[in-house]
Amino acid sequence: MPDFSPSSSRPPQVGRRTLLGAAAAATAAPVVLGSASRAAAAPAPRKKPRALPGGGDLGPNVLVFDPSTPGIQARLDEVFRQQESAQFGTGRYALLFKPGTYSGLNAQLGFYTSIAGLGLSPDDTTINGDVTVDAGWFNGNATQNFWRSAENLALVPANGTNRWAVAQAAPFRRMHVRGGLNLAPSGYGWASGGYIADSRIDGQIGPYSQQQWYTRDSAIGSWLNGVWNMVFSGVEGAPAQSFPNPPYTTLATTPISREKPFLYLQGSEYRVFLPEKRTNARGVTWGNGTPRGTSLPLTQFYVARPGVSAATLNQALEQGLHLLLTPGIYHLSEPLRINRANTVVLGLGYATLIPDGGVTAVKVADVDGVRLAAFLVDAGPVNSPTLLEIGPRGASRDHSANPTTVQDVFIRIGGAGPGKATTSMVVNSRHTIIDHTWVWRADHGDGVGWETNRADYGVVVNGDDVLATGLFVEHFNKYDVQWFGQRGRTIFFQNEKAYDAPNQAAIQNGSTKGYAAYRVGDAVTSHEGWGLGSYCYYNVDPTIVQHHGFAAPVRPDVRFHNLLVVSLGGQGQYECVINDTGSPTSGTSTVPSTVVSYP
């Protein structure tokens, strides 16, 4: 791995994001045939499947603690030992803490591990101690600290500052840190995250070596520094707009937001809280009495266990139940079909859906208010045309009053084994909110290669009025993002072009050198983006030239603010930032080329 860090004699200034290569039991009820008479050989009509129950036990990989539980630290350590370096393993865990006060804990989080409080407010569940992510397993490099999360807790860090050194797909939501937050690993090695929402950090947030970060609808004491791309929307205490030096993009409010659903306890009853939509949001949703929204009892959810069939999950949906996916891996022989307005599909502990035989994992109808949250879709070895579809082709209904939200839904092609998908996520429904996603064609792990985990397109947006807050899309063979809908908006975009392009011809796009990371369609007349970055690291053929990171029609209402492209150590180069505008990246220097405003 080439070293793009400054001399060790100086404090870290430029971190860099490099990833190295190397590194179905329950089914629907059977058909029951009536007895046939001698005169009539035809079978009797099928009986309806027995109704599925709602509610139930959360399963063995959901560990629930209360302040009187003995041996909490030992159990946390046991899970961490198993998950610390299991980047492509099969273990999945949710660590849930009932309201109360816990002392002397350090919950270290490894892969596919979520920690959360079970109160209605973060302050209902206080840990006098830490929730820690560090990078000792990877020699102090935090760029692969993926797939873990913290939610709905108050922390009083043991030394005054909690360490949360993460990369992609590691949300920090609805947290109250009564102290500071350090986003870098011990030793200030490379780091490449990250996302904070609906959180209050009383002290200073120190990103140190973090290359990029997005913070939304939160309150912070102060912010220390920036490397390439630090974006804030609706954050009390955020630094002032100053891109590119320091590289802060600051919006006073978030135009539309609706926080992620979460599990909580009301007495001894589990419920799922559904926060309400906010417009021009700023600051946290909690802290002044009961948060605004509605809740559902767990009895209205089908509590799914790994091994359940897609047919059973669809039966539950047709029956009118929501889905709670407990931790584990679910193989799908058919798509999950979400046809009912206001349906909730909520995962715990990085529940993972794998479509078999080239099917699409999830298809959502053109209905109001669907909430998809906190699960991973892992492409199967047979190519899927799509993995996640929000609305059918041609969807046109107005969902402005009650949009569909896609939150902490992550997509992976390859890495855990061979996987293929032509397009990962397609958004056809109007007014959809994509709030934090990482859509990743793997560049390391198993089943990785230019054709082995072929995936041409990451996210395609056809619907009008779609908003993305925290869009991470990386390494696709062609376009990472294509946006064809009108009036689309993106706040924060992070991208790397595919490392493994074999040569210039492999990425040639007609007469254009390479496919843009983020393309706005030629027919679009209104679009806006803030704080967007694309990086190249063509390590197979460092002579590859990428014409630009961003492509868009030149129209007054297609506008971009604070764009950058970076060539990592000179492994490939950009000629421009957007269209034909912006300086080329400069040789082997890992320094961004920026455009503050376009057109």
Side-chain angles (χ1 to χ4, degrees):
M1 176 168 60
D3 185 350
F4 307 125
S5 297
S7 165
S8 60
S9 64
R10 293 178 286 149
Q13 296 176 4
V14 179
R16 78 153 248 22
R17 157 105 161 77
T18 52
L19 302 177
L20 301 177
T27 59
V31 174
V32 179
L33 300 179
S35 53
S37 68
R38 292 178 182 176
R46 294 182 177 185
K47 289 184 178 179
K48 288 185 178 180
R50 180 177 299 173
L52 295 167
D57 184 80
L58 299 180
N61 286 12
V62 176
L63 309 182
V64 182
F65 305 105
D66 66 45
S68 65
T69 302
I72 297 176
Q73 186 65 57
R75 193 69 179 99
L76 297 176
D77 292 345
E78 179 185 359
V79 172
F80 179 64
R81 281 193 298 272
Q82 178 181 319
Q83 299 301 116
E84 179 183 12
S85 58
Q87 182 171 179
F88 298 111
T90 57
R92 304 286 188 273
Y93 288 93
L95 312 173
L96 304 183
F97 286 76
K98 293 181 180 180
T101 300
Y102 302 77
S103 296
L105 296 182
N106 181 16
Q108 299 182 81
L109 299 188
F111 288 98
Y112 314 109
T113 305
S114 298
I115 189 170
L118 287 170
L120 201 51
S121 165
D123 289 328
D124 293 341
T125 310
T126 297
I127 293 178
N128 290 305
D130 297 84
V131 171
T132 301
V133 178
D134 207 344
W137 74 277
F138 200 43
N139 300 314
N141 179 345
T143 61
Q144 293 184 27
N145 281 348
F146 313 136
W147 305 306
R148 62 203 75 198
S149 67
E151 181 175 18
N152 204 30
L153 291 165
L155 303 177
V156 183
N159 70 353
T161 300
N162 189 78
R163 186 182 302 278
W164 185 255
V166 298
Q168 286 74 7
F172 197 80
R173 287 186 181 269
R174 201 176 172 79
M175 294 287 287
H176 185 187
V177 180
R178 299 176 192 162
L181 189 63
N182 183 342
L183 304 179
S186 299
Y188 302 97
W190 295 325
S192 181
Y195 175 91
I196 293 171
D198 199 23
S199 293
R200 182 178 295 278
I201 316 300
D202 293 346
Q204 183 178 74
I205 298 180
Y208 299 103
S209 54
Q210 282 285 357
Q211 295 153 335
Q212 68 274 320
W213 200 276
Y214 176 48
T215 308
R216 177 181 65 72
D217 299 348
S218 293
I220 65 176
S222 61
W223 188 273
L224 179 62
N225 73 297
V227 177
W228 294 337
N229 192 30
M230 304 284 145
V231 179
F232 309 83
S233 68
V235 178
E236 298 169 356
Q241 168 69 37
S242 58
F243 187 90
N245 187 27
Y248 298 149
T249 297
T250 302
L251 287 72
T253 60
T254 304
I256 306 167
S257 63
R258 190 175 68 190
E259 299 303 330
K260 171 189 164 292
F262 62 92
L263 190 69
Y264 75 104
L265 275 172
Q266 181 175 289
S268 60
E269 177 194 18
Y270 283 108
R271 299 181 69 89
V272 173
F273 192 80
L274 308 178
E276 70 172 20
K277 187 188 78 168
R278 297 198 291 169
T279 56
N280 298 317
R282 183 173 173 85
V284 300
T285 63
W286 48 271
N288 295 311
T290 303
R292 299 177 68 89
T294 58
S295 77
L296 299 170
L298 199 63
T299 53
Q300 292 185 21
F301 285 77
Y302 178 70
V303 179
R305 297 281 195 92
V308 69
S309 71
T312 299
L313 295 171
N314 279 324
Q315 181 191 338
L317 291 167
E318 291 165 9
Q319 195 177 301
L321 293 171
H322 308 278
L323 296 182
L324 184 72
L325 304 173
T326 65
I329 295 174
Y330 298 75
H331 282 269
L332 304 178
S333 60
E334 61 185 66
L336 299 186
R337 297 183 178 90
I338 301 169
N339 297 321
R340 179 172 49 89
N342 301 310
T343 298
V344 179
V345 179
L346 175 62
L348 298 177
Y350 285 82
T352 301
L353 307 178
I354 301 179
D356 292 331
V359 304
T360 297
V362 180
K363 291 188 175 185
V364 180
D366 193 18
V367 295
D368 272 356
V370 172
R371 304 185 196 223
L372 306 181
F375 58 87
L376 172 65
V377 177
D378 210 350
V382 178
N383 185 75
S384 293
T386 59
L387 293 172
L388 172 62
E389 294 181 12
I390 309 300
R393 184 186 298 271
S396 60
R397 294 180 182 175
D398 186 322
H399 302 295
S400 55
N402 186 14
T404 285
T405 47
V406 182
Q407 299 177 286
D408 302 346
V409 173
F410 307 118
I411 296 177
R412 178 174 69 193
I413 303 96
K420 291 187 177 183
T422 304
T423 303
S424 292
M425 181 189 300
V426 180
V427 179
N428 293 316
S429 288
R430 294 181 62 194
H431 303 102
T432 299
I433 300 172
I434 307 168
D435 177 43
H436 190 227
T437 188
W438 185 38
V439 182
W440 184 55
R441 175 183 166 265
D443 60 280
H444 64 279
D446 293 331
V448 170
W450 185 248
E451 296 295 343
T452 305
N453 61 330
R454 182 85 195 186
D456 283 350
Y457 309 111
V459 175
V460 174
V461 178
N462 297 314
D464 294 340
D465 307 291
V466 171
L467 171 66
T469 52
L471 186 61
F472 300 71
V473 188
E474 297 189 296
H475 302 305
F476 285 83
N477 293 77
K478 293 184 178 179
Y479 291 112
D480 298 276
V481 172
Q482 293 189 93
W483 206 299
F484 300 113
Q486 299 288 354
R487 297 175 300 280
R489 291 176 288 185
T490 294
I491 304 172
F492 183 88
F493 171 69
Q494 186 265 325
N495 165 264
E496 286 182 344
K497 295 303 299 174
Y499 292 172
D500 56 345
N503 49 49
Q504 186 76 44
I507 65 161
Q508 192 67 18
N509 181 16
S511 61
T512 302
K513 299 172 186 174
Y515 291 82
Y518 187 109
R519 174 198 176 204
V520 178
D522 293 342
V524 173
T525 58
S526 178
H527 187 91
E528 196 158 11
W530 296 262
L532 283 64
S534 177
Y535 322 143
C536 75
Y537 181 63
Y538 289 117
N539 62 335
V540 175
D541 181 358
T543 68
I544 290 176
V545 174
Q546 174 89 21
H547 181 62
H548 49 218
F550 304 90
V554 183
R555 294 195 173 96
D557 288 333
V558 177
R559 296 173 296 197
F560 289 90
H561 314 274
N562 305 342
L563 299 170
L564 71 146
V565 295
V566 181
S567 170
L568 302 178
Q571 306 291 296
Q573 300 288 337
Y574 291 92
E575 293 179 324
C576 303
V577 179
I578 180 169
N579 295 344
D580 300 322
T581 297
S583 301
T585 51
S586 50
T588 59
S589 178
T590 306
V591 175
S593 177
T594 62
V595 168
V596 173
S597 182
Y598 185 87

